[in-house]
Amino acid sequence: MTKRTIVAGFVGLAAAALALAAAGADWSDDAEWADSYPESRAICRDVRDRTVPAADRPTAAEAAQLKGCDSEALYYGIGRPADPVAARKCAILELEGTAASDAGYFAGRTILATVYANGVGAGRDTRLAIRLACQDEDSAPAEVDGRVRDLAGSSPPESFHWCDHVTSGRMMGVCAAHFARIDGAKREAEIATLTAAWSPPERKAFAALRTAADAFIAARAENEVDMSGTMRAALSLGEEERQRDAFKALLTELEAGKAPSGGLAPADAELNRVYRQVMNAGEDTRLDWGTVAPDDIRATQRIWLRYRDAWLAFAKVKYPQVSPDALAARLTQERTAMLRGFLEEAS
């Protein structure tokens, strides 16, 4: 099992877990916590009568049109304009298991509770939002408790977010994936705008760079992030997002005519010096790296070298005025900073 598989398993939740309403799951009935969180459990008992209004349900024709829908994308406008009304109807179908989509955690009950809590996509109904939150069996007890008490309080409209009460490493990973999906769609839209007028040869060179970038970013997130704790999914996804942001930042600078400066020779010398230190680090230092081993760093370094070469090949086509040495130096300095982090963790 690879580290990427571990992250995916940590973040991905089966669609079947969404159909809890039919099973009658309720926070106030959880025998394991019968003597804990009395306030939120009492609130949940008080809203047992709340159900989704018939008028809010999709018609048969709408259900057919929404087959395979994605309520998360519809509500938050991920890769498309936001449509909270369609998100509400889609979430109902997902909750009932009839959407015929591969729904993850941010679907069904989660989105539907958000719709009614915020009054966006349906009339505001905090009691119904609470009822839906009370039926969540995937969150940690403290998360359910905080969510229910917040909804029962005086929070203003459009202020509720499911991730506002995260206490567990597991849910940190789920929420990290949610926000990464939103940010990733925005980032891709910005890159699409930057590249819209490029020529076919430039696009072809960029596609090769993207392939190399994806390989390095995956290697960095999988191989050079400690995967030993419950926050492993959040940490891995966070590193992946940082690298994707750095990629876009450099592309934006080059497109704006802001060429890097500096010589490759000193940058390469410093990279090699730090790399040797990392590879020769003692056992006491490596203990601070958790699951990261020297072989992981070595493998990532090889992939990074191909990534740097891909940047130079792309720039030769798209930005011939940019000094290859200066661009390589910039990329090398960024990689040196990543490697230096292993030594700083032990200091």
Side-chain angles (χ1 to χ4, degrees):
M1 180 178 291
T2 66
K3 292 178 182 178
R4 174 64 62 178
T5 303
I6 293 172
V7 172
F10 219 72
V11 175
L13 297 173
L18 297 171
L20 297 175
D26 193 293
W27 169 234
S28 61
D29 291 333
D30 194 331
E32 184 179 356
W33 302 98
D35 299 322
S36 305
Y37 309 104
E39 182 183 352
S40 61
R41 290 166 66 84
I43 293 169
C44 286
R45 285 192 291 272
D46 188 50
V47 296
R48 284 180 180 271
D49 63 327
R50 301 304 296 169
T51 59
V52 175
D56 285 357
R57 297 180 54 79
T59 65
E62 289 170 334
Q65 290 178 340
L66 288 167
K67 184 177 181 179
C69 62
D70 181 341
S71 65
E72 181 184 20
L74 287 165
Y75 187 83
Y76 291 101
I78 302 174
R80 51 157 300 143
D83 188 342
V85 172
R88 179 243 301 164
K89 296 174 182 178
C90 176
I92 291 171
L93 297 174
E94 289 171 333
L95 183 62
E96 296 174 343
T98 59
S101 61
D102 185 19
Y105 186 87
F106 269 86
R109 173 169 295 103
T110 305
I111 298 299
L112 204 54
T114 304
V115 164
Y116 286 112
N118 290 327
V120 177
R124 194 177 191 218
D125 187 339
T126 54
R127 287 177 63 82
L128 178 52
I130 292 169
R131 173 61 175 158
L132 291 160
C134 291
Q135 294 173 301
D136 173 29
E137 287 189 335
D138 291 312
S139 295
E143 292 166 344
V144 179
D145 173 71
R147 211 170 279 135
V148 168
R149 289 190 295 107
D150 182 32
L151 286 167
S154 57
S155 58
E158 301 186 39
S159 67
F160 175 80
H161 196 288
W162 197 264
C163 292
D164 286 344
H165 305 91
V166 171
T167 63
S168 65
R170 178 172 178 268
M171 192 56 64
M172 287 179 187
V174 170
C175 289
H178 166 67
F179 290 118
R181 188 180 182 202
I182 293 173
D183 293 341
K186 293 178 180 176
R187 185 171 51 241
E188 287 304 311
E190 291 168 0
I191 289 175
T193 298
L194 286 175
T195 62
W198 288 5
S199 68
E202 291 169 344
R203 289 176 180 276
K204 183 177 179 180
F206 186 59
L209 171 59
R210 290 300 296 267
T211 298
D214 288 343
F216 167 64
I217 291 168
R220 169 69 175 165
E222 293 173 20
N223 297 341
E224 297 187 345
V225 173
D226 180 9
M227 305 289 279
S228 59
T230 59
M231 290 178 59
R232 57 188 179 269
L235 294 173
S236 181
L237 285 165
E239 182 57 30
E240 187 171 323
E241 285 298 289
R242 277 189 290 276
Q243 294 304 322
R244 293 196 183 282
D245 284 343
F247 175 86
K248 194 202 79 172
L250 178 53
L251 180 66
T252 302
E253 289 176 23
L254 292 173
E255 191 66 10
K258 299 178 182 178
S261 59
L264 177 58
D268 245 346
E270 178 64 5
L271 171 67
N272 291 330
R273 184 187 72 79
V274 174
Y275 180 74
R276 285 193 298 270
Q277 281 187 290
V278 171
M279 288 295 102
N280 295 327
E283 184 176 350
D284 289 344
T285 297
R286 295 199 303 273
L287 283 174
D288 292 321
W289 302 351
T291 61
V292 180
D295 283 348
D296 296 325
I297 299 171
R298 185 179 295 109
T300 304
Q301 184 69 4
R302 294 193 186 106
I303 295 170
W304 173 80
L305 286 169
R306 293 195 289 271
Y307 171 57
R308 184 177 68 174
D309 289 344
W311 256 115
L312 298 179
F314 162 69
K316 184 177 181 180
V317 175
K318 178 65 181 127
Y319 308 111
Q321 74 280 8
V322 172
S323 163
D325 268 16
L327 178 57
R330 160 72 177 271
L331 293 161
T332 301
Q333 289 162 357
E334 290 179 352
R335 178 59 180 162
T336 302
M338 296 177 213
L339 293 172
R340 192 177 288 118
F342 289 108
L343 303 175
E344 292 172 351
E345 287 177 9
S347 61

